[in-house]
Amino acid sequence: MRRSIGSSISDLVHARVDGESLSQDELLTMLTQFLIAGNETTTTHITATVMLLLEQPQLMAQVRADLSLAPKLIEESLRVESPITGLYRTALVDTEIAGVAVPAGAHLLLCYSSGNRDPEQYADPETIKFDRSGEGAHLAFGQGPHFCLGSNLSKAESRIALEALLTRTTNLRLDPAGRTPERIPSYILRGVSRLDLLFDRA
């Protein structure tokens, strides 16, 4: 992993666009994105998925019994617990959304988390289901030209972490002496700031 990150940083430092190297501000902005997009969102998603399993033990039992359900659990947890609740976008042209005029240049907060619980798109949207084959794709990674390039890596990391947790531990539970799980105070990032657990070795 260190070699991969170091290589990416080196590539950026040596990159040329129209013969010009990237400015320090451009480099720092990209490196910040690497840190947030490549780490914060995935760890937040893993934690949120573990919370779902603790809140719904029947889900944990199902996935423990059949690890092939892990990718479906990940997709559903991304839908109901999107690590990024939304991002700002700028309207490029005058348009109208649900009868509301949106002029070109207007700044909008697109709430992915709301769209992922839209009852017109998902039957019983608050419920984790492993058989949503006929419904729309969730918006946790965005869509179109803004679709997250790291989506497959993020899902693979989540799957590996969850499979390891479920196969190497038993009696997974909240630590009664630990801190009560608290949501991160943010309207963009959705997650738990700390999750104190106890478990037995499988």
Side-chain angles (χ1 to χ4, degrees):
M1 179 63 101
R2 287 178 185 166
R3 186 175 301 171
S4 175
I5 292 173
S7 175
S8 297
I9 293 173
S10 181
D11 288 345
L12 284 176
V13 170
H14 294 98
R16 296 291 181 270
V17 178
D18 296 329
E20 298 288 331
S21 59
L22 299 174
S23 69
Q24 185 173 5
D25 285 345
E26 289 170 328
L27 286 170
L28 290 175
T29 297
M30 289 187 182
L31 292 174
T32 300
Q33 288 297 317
F34 285 178
L35 177 63
I36 295 173
N39 174 47
E40 182 73 29
T41 52
T42 301
T43 55
T44 297
H45 170 240
I46 293 169
T47 305
T49 305
V50 172
M51 278 292 296
L52 282 173
L53 294 177
L54 292 172
E55 292 166 352
Q56 303 180 55
Q58 76 281 4
L59 291 178
M60 189 184 306
Q62 279 182 272
V63 181
R64 276 191 197 278
D66 182 2
L67 287 179
S68 70
L69 294 175
K72 295 180 180 180
L73 171 65
I74 288 166
E75 295 295 344
E76 276 290 87
S77 65
L78 282 166
R79 184 182 65 79
V80 300
E81 293 288 343
S82 304
I84 300 296
T85 63
L87 286 174
Y88 286 100
R89 294 288 181 250
T90 301
L92 298 180
V93 297
D94 292 338
T95 189
E96 184 177 298
I97 301 174
V100 177
V102 179
H107 299 297
L108 308 173
L109 176 60
L110 305 184
C111 295
Y112 309 146
S113 56
S114 176
N116 283 337
R117 293 172 182 254
D118 184 351
E120 293 186 9
Q121 296 295 319
Y122 306 99
D124 196 7
E126 304 297 323
T127 302
I128 299 291
K129 294 184 177 182
F130 296 139
D131 57 351
R132 291 191 178 274
S133 58
E135 296 173 312
H138 63 70
L139 305 173
F141 293 113
Q143 285 195 2
H146 296 290
F147 189 79
C148 175
L149 295 176
S151 61
N152 287 331
L153 175 61
S154 176
K155 288 190 283 189
E157 290 173 332
S158 295
R159 177 185 55 77
I160 291 167
L162 289 169
E163 288 178 352
L165 185 67
L166 294 176
T167 56
R168 299 181 186 182
T169 70
T170 60
N171 196 22
L172 184 64
R173 60 203 184 277
L174 288 175
D175 182 356
R179 184 184 301 174
T180 301
E182 296 179 356
R183 291 284 179 183
I184 297 169
S186 170
Y187 66 95
I188 293 294
L189 185 66
R190 177 177 173 82
V192 177
S193 59
R194 176 170 167 169
L195 190 61
D196 295 331
L197 300 174
L198 294 176
F199 58 85
D200 299 327
R201 183 179 296 179

